[in-house]
């Protein structure tokens, strides 16, 4: 008993003792000549490569919580996962990312094939579908994995050269807009579940944009450049966007005509209004796209997510491969009211990189200032680019629609919200001793806890000090201690203490239970956590 | 009712219909000139790079089961995880893998730092500890991630250039043999839990081997070559091993003296016997190592894993960085009785690669024939190689002991055992309709199931055929269907059917429940799965 009493007040321990308690290495005093030391220190440049980082245990614990939330929802929607190699044949990636292809990491030619690190998960997925279309003419697949971009890193903003993408795609030829509606529902559920704050999903359709440009008189060869200018409307005032358009070669009249359309945002009513617009609905492509959006909104109503969607005619998104619905989710709490209402542009780093980097905006945190947190769209032709045609000349294309969650973004938003670092270990019980080392006894108890599936640790010392053990509990946020003392053990008893309670008096010593009941007693307490 | 009856016997569907039911793409008949087609087909070499592969959804589901079992045990033992970049500065990896350094993948020099893909997870971990030793003077970390080796692949044997390693390491200066005992306990628990079949963990100590070589008269410069020859005793007869030793430059007498020792295997009794051997225990290094093993066996007795351990004096393991306990787990069911008893050597592909590839034996499936499935050991000096010394000349070394599970091996062993592919999706309910498409109603039901956390799918067709929907259940191994029919819906009712039962008669139609009770009724059934 006295041994246990001895440590009742020892739970609050200065942080400085933490390292020692966790087992700081005994210094091996092996002196070297100064010259030799310098030589050795030169030998290793102790760092991770530029634009990459190590993730610490508590960061990984938060990251795994995020992944777990996301995959749980992916699975609820029938998602399966595949794995593709981290590098692909160079030719697979070539010509898919516009001028950003220069950001692709190549492997050195060491004989054999030329390979590159993947730049995203979408092109490898399209390659996978082109190879395995017979087995998977349709698939809902998710993939959470790292991608690589030799971009200028901005580590403090979370823009790195190695970062995670988190994609869910529905591939297959289905009746229109049903998978698109489910994709938007999944995204809504994920952002709600992750608790990242208020968000909105901006929605548009490539067919509507192209229809607008066409009826306003944009020459075909200027479609993409003008689209790229329109996409900047959330980052700069209309006057600047218009100026860029004029510089790209359209007339003031055409630009103003475009402006009338792309300044509009709304919901399903806007779809109906545009369908009544004779000029626009006279364009076959725009009419078909508007009909699709009208149907999509019907389905979104059934799924009850319409209130999260803003039909925004200025959303263009950069990637060339989109063919239908496009969307981008933004966090509202990082914007001013004026920005949300669209009366003030969003601030964004002006970068020289092309708009083909749009996917990266969501994924690689380029837009830390503007709240973009997920994005996606329909790309019906990408698989066909790889798969080509059958012997009979039939295109082997597989239509796809997908979303990408900017998990690095989610991570930094959630990390900021935390009062304390995420508990890194899963440890629920520290088996400790007082009064004597009791190593074999602590091992025995730990073994019994492990066999019951309980996460338990003990200090790897023959005679650890009580304070060291309490420090370990505190540092690792371990909720319970099983405390062994020689006298109590002799009576067939141990003590269980709730380490989260910083109480004094009798409760501080914990509760004495029978040694034989120990596992059951611990389980009972853990069940209430 | 009639609509539901219509599909009662439709559950058994020919496999040929599966693709169609899952939503095979409607062919887009876009013919091209033959020349153009050939050009396009030449453009893409549709494959993954040599030595790499895609993992299919059902393979990934099995892989995730394996990872989940392993990480669950890692976590029970207080393990935390970290993440390091997939590539390291080239100089970090240099000089760590002997002649196998030629197997390292380099990134192309595109300006900036020279980098290489990681070859294992141990060297990056040591680099991590050297950089973060102040924050983590002690850590139990696990890391499951891909590593890269430009080796000659043998895909059918599971030897690939990109493969997973699965490591758990305990770093920190502790009282002797406590972490080593826990590492062996963790390994025993993992192999038992994975249900890979009967296994044995061969155990030895570098200090004993070096002591043996020393007292038998092996010159210092021949220590590693002779050790490498001894390590082959499980793959070739003693006569051949001895021949190799003689070729390496020791005398027949020395070789015979070594043979007397290294042919021995046993348990803690053998440790005691060797401690009584005056010649061997007269060597300080051997004596210290034997004392350590004696203590280790005491702890293994407490953890009740001694019966899994075979103290085997022929186990040498290749990697230079081991400094203490070394071990390797083998599957016994793949060996003959003579091999287990040690009277017949194990067959092994003879490869020109050096023994420095030993870790790969477990991890990269080199030894498919000989049952090696995990390995590890103590390496007390590796971190110090990176960390150097403090300003006061004190080595910043951090002692480590770790294990690596050959997860690719585990995967192929477990895949072979399966009667059927692992269910790829988590889907528990298919929401289907009969008699009419009822798309909005199916969406509505799916939405309610998702909100209750139930994994549910519905076909993305306005009017799917009953047979297509049953095929989807069968293909995806979906256990329950919620079946909507117009007449029943009008009465506020739906039907729940257990799809695993291939029953006829009334039960085949499922059970009618109130629409409002649907979620609760489904939950009740899933709870019994």
């Amino acid at each position: 008993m006295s041994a246990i009493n001895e440590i009742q007040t020892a739970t609050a321990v200065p942080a400085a003792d933490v390292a020692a308690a966790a087992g700081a290495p005994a210094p091996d005093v092996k002196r070297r000549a100064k010259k030799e030391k310098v030589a050795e220190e030169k030998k290793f440049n102790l760092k991770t490569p530029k634009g990459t980082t190590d993730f610490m245990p508590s960061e990984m614990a938060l990251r795994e919580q995020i992944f777990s939330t996301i995959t749980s929802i992916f699975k609820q929607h029938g998602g399966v996962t595949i794995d593709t190699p981290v590098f692909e044949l160079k030719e697979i990636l070539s010509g898919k990312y516009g001028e950003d292809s220069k950001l692709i990491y190549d492997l050195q030619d060491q004989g054999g094939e030329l390979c590159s690190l993947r730049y995203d998960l979408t092109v490898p997925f399209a390659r996978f579908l082109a190879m395995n279309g017979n087995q998977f003419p349709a698939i809902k697949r998710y993939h959470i994995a790292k991608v690589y971009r030799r971009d200028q890193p901005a580590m403090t903003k979370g823009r790195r050269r190695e970062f995670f993408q988190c994609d869910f795609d529905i591939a297959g030829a289905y009746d229109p807009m049903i998978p698109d509606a489910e994709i938007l529902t999944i995204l809504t559920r994920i952002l709600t579940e992750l608790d990242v704050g208020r968000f909105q999903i901006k929605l548009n359709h490539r067919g509507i944009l192209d229809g607008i440009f066409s009826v306003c008189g944009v020459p075909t060869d200027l479609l993409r450049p003008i689209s790229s200018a329109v996409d900047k409307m959330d980052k700069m005032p209309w006057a600047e966007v218009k100026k860029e358009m004029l510089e790209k070669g359209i007339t003031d009249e055409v630009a103003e005509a475009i402006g009338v359309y792309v300044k509009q945002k709304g919901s399903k009513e806007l779809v109906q209004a545009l369908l009544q617009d004779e000029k626009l609905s006279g364009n076959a492509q725009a009419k078909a796209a508007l009909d699709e959006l009208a149907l999509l909104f019907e389905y979104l109503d059934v799924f009850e997510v319409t209130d999260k969607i803003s039909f925004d005619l200025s959303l263009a998104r950069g990637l060339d491969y989109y063919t239908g619905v496009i969307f981008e989710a933004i966090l509202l709490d990082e914007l001013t009211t004026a920005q949300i209402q669209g009366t003030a542009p969003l601030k964004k780093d002006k970068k020289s990189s092309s708009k083909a980097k749009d996917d990266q905006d969501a994924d690689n945190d380029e837009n830390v200032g503007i709240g973009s947190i997920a994005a996606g769209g329909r790309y019906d032709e990408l698989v066909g680019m790889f798969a080509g045609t059958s012997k009979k000349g039939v295109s082997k294309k597989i239509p796809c629609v997908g979303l990408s969650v900017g998990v690095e973004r989610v991570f930094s938003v959630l990390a900021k919200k935390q009062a304390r670092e995420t508990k890194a270990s899963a440890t629920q019980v520290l088996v400790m001793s007082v009064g004597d080392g009791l190593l074999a006894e602590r091992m025995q108890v730990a073994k019994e806890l492990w066999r019951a599936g309980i996460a338990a640790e003990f200090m790897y010392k023959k005679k650890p000090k009580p304070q060291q053990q309490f420090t370990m509990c505190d540092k690792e946020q371990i909720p319970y201690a099983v405390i062994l003392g020689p006298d109590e053990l002799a009576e067939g008893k141990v003590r269980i203490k709730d380490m989260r309670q910083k109480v004094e008096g009798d409760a501080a010593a914990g509760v004495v239970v029978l040694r034989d009941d120990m596992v059951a007693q611990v389980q009972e307490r853990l069940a209430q956590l």
Side-chain angles (χ1 to χ4, degrees), chain A:
Chain A
M1 275 302 274
S2 61
I4 292 209
N5 288 337
E6 162 195 335
I7 45 79
Q8 285 184 18
T9 52
T11 48
V13 178
D17 293 358
V18 166
D28 172 13
V29 191
K30 189 177 163 193
R31 295 186 179 276
R32 297 157 194 251
K34 197 159 189 182
K35 223 182 246 175
E36 205 182 315
K37 204 185 81 190
V38 171
E40 178 170 309
E41 276 165 6
K42 263 194 177 168
K43 209 160 128 194
F44 299 109
N45 194 0
L46 265 188
K47 62 186 285 291
T48 61
K50 182 178 179 182
T52 69
T53 188
D54 293 323
F55 277 83
M56 300 293 141
S58 68
E59 292 172 327
M60 288 300 289
L62 175 57
R63 163 158 286 172
E64 288 188 349
Q65 281 176 19
I66 293 168
F67 288 167
S68 163
T69 300
I70 294 174
T71 50
S72 155
I73 291 173
F74 286 165
K75 285 180 180 177
Q76 281 175 24
H77 289 261
V80 299
T81 191
I82 64 167
D83 188 30
T84 62
V86 84
F87 48 80
E88 296 276 344
L89 295 182
K90 189 177 162 69
E91 65 201 69
I92 296 284
L93 305 189
S94 297
K96 303 297 181 307
Y97 305 105
E99 64 182 63
D100 277 355
S101 293
K102 69 179 186 292
L103 302 181
I104 293 175
Y105 275 99
D106 293 327
L107 296 188
Q108 195 177 310
D109 181 2
Q110 293 170 293
E113 301 157 336
L114 296 179
C115 298
S116 303
L117 298 186
R118 62 185 166 212
Y119 182 86
D120 65 10
L121 301 175
T122 307
V123 168
F125 178 51
R127 192 266 307 146
F128 173 91
L129 287 177
M131 280 174 66
N132 301 290
N134 289 337
Q135 195 182 345
F136 300 104
I139 186 174
K140 302 180 195 176
R141 92 85 177 76
Y142 66 90
H143 197 179
I144 301 181
K146 288 172 172 178
V147 300
Y148 299 86
R149 299 181 184 181
R150 238 170 42 78
D151 207 347
Q152 197 54 35
M155 304 297 279
T156 51
K157 287 187 179 178
R159 185 169 72 235
R160 293 190 305 277
R161 291 178 161 197
E162 176 187 56
F163 59 96
F164 270 97
Q165 280 198 333
C166 176
D167 287 13
F168 185 97
D169 296 80
I170 300 177
Y174 296 113
D175 285 336
M177 295 298 108
I178 309 176
D180 309 64
E182 187 158 338
I183 285 284
L184 289 166
T185 302
I186 292 169
L187 181 54
T188 302
R189 295 192 67 210
I190 285 173
L191 296 180
T192 305
E193 195 86 7
L194 284 174
D195 203 16
V196 285
R198 292 182 312 126
F199 64 90
Q200 188 177 64
I201 303 173
K202 296 196 282 183
L203 174 75
N204 201 359
H205 192 299
R206 272 286 165 87
I208 296 176
L209 272 182
D210 287 349
I212 289 171
F213 297 147
S214 176
V215 300
C216 292
V218 175
T220 313
D221 61 325
L222 290 181
L223 281 180
R224 292 266 70 80
I226 295 304
S227 176
S228 157
V230 166
D231 199 42
K232 292 175 187 161
M233 283 179 61
D234 61 345
K235 300 135 217 158
M236 50 199 216
W238 167 247
E240 280 187 47
V241 172
K242 184 179 161 186
K243 192 173 156 227
E244 184 176 324
M245 288 182 176
L246 298 183
E247 285 166 4
K248 283 177 171 169
I250 60 172
T251 65
D252 188 86
E253 192 187 9
V254 171
E256 281 300 327
I258 292 171
V260 170
Y261 285 111
V262 298
K263 285 176 189 168
Q264 299 183 58
K265 53 183 77 175
S267 186
K268 49 191 169 183
E269 300 75 18
L270 179 55
V271 178
Q272 294 308 323
L274 291 172
L275 277 168
Q276 302 309 314
D277 180 310
E278 284 183 17
K279 184 174 149 195
L280 188 58
S281 63
N283 176 282
Q285 197 180 5
K287 174 68 165 64
L290 286 166
D291 283 341
E292 284 198 346
L293 282 199
L295 184 61
L296 177 62
F297 271 110
E298 276 181 35
Y299 297 153
L300 295 177
D301 278 349
V302 177
F303 285 141
E304 292 181 63
V305 296
T306 307
D307 63 321
K308 297 294 182 193
I309 310 289
S310 165
F311 174 32
D312 185 332
L313 286 162
S314 74
L315 180 73
R317 299 200 39 69
L319 286 173
D320 286 346
Y321 54 62
Y322 287 122
T323 55
V325 162
I326 47 179
F327 57 87
E328 182 174 323
I330 55 169
L331 291 185
L332 297 178
D333 291 335
E334 298 185 5
L335 309 180
T336 64
T337 309
Q339 284 168 335
I340 294 169
Q341 293 171 346
T343 54
L346 302 169
K347 275 184 193 164
K348 183 176 173 179
D349 294 345
K350 276 186 201 168
K351 286 175 56 71
S352 59
S353 59
S354 85
K355 280 306 295 172
K357 209 186 297 176
D358 253 20
D359 253 1
Q360 189 178 354
D361 290 351
D363 302 314
N364 198 11
D365 241 3
E366 187 175 55
N367 295 343
V368 163
I370 76 142
S372 170
I373 199 156
R378 174 165 284 282
Y379 52 101
D380 285 348
E381 307 294 341
L382 190 61
V383 178
M385 279 177 64
F386 288 114
T389 54
S390 71
K391 283 178 187 169
K392 289 181 183 170
V394 180
S395 165
K396 293 188 196 165
K397 79 172 185 179
I398 299 179
C400 296
V401 58
L403 67 86
S404 186
V405 181
V407 282
E408 307 289 354
R409 214 42 239 302
V410 171
F411 178 85
S412 68
V413 169
L414 295 184
K416 265 181 224 160
K417 278 184 162 184
Q418 290 183 310
R420 189 178 178 178
E421 279 188 348
T422 310
K423 176 166 158 51
S425 79
T427 307
Q428 297 158 311
V429 176
L430 184 70
V431 183
M432 56 171 75
S433 63
V434 290
D436 200 355
L438 300 170
L439 175 59
E441 290 78 4
R442 283 183 288 136
M443 286 178 153
Q444 179 74 34
V445 167
K447 179 188 72 186
E448 290 170 29
L449 292 168
W450 294 332
R451 286 191 181 166
I454 297 166
E457 292 187 83
F458 61 96
M459 278 200 76
Y460 297 148
K461 286 182 179 295
K462 286 191 141 180
K463 293 197 180 183
K465 290 184 183 129
Q467 179 142 329
Q468 290 179 325
Q469 299 174 85
F470 281 107
T471 304
M472 184 169 165
C473 267
D474 203 47
K475 187 191 171 202
E476 292 193 23
Q477 306 180 44
I478 300 173
Y480 285 98
V482 170
I483 305 173
L484 312 184
D487 300 344
E488 281 172 345
L489 270 185
E491 297 168 20
K493 290 172 184 167
V494 299
R495 216 169 256 271
I496 300 177
K497 179 166 156 51
D498 185 339
M499 301 304 293
R500 299 161 303 166
Q501 298 173 328
K502 306 289 181 196
V503 291
E504 294 183 15
D506 287 352
V511 178
V512 178
V513 303
L514 287 177
R515 170 77 179 77
D516 292 344
D517 286 346
M518 182 268 302
V519 169
Q521 289 279 348
V522 168
Q523 278 172 326
E524 199 175 286
R525 283 165 177 77
L526 293 178
Q528 288 160 19
L529 278 187

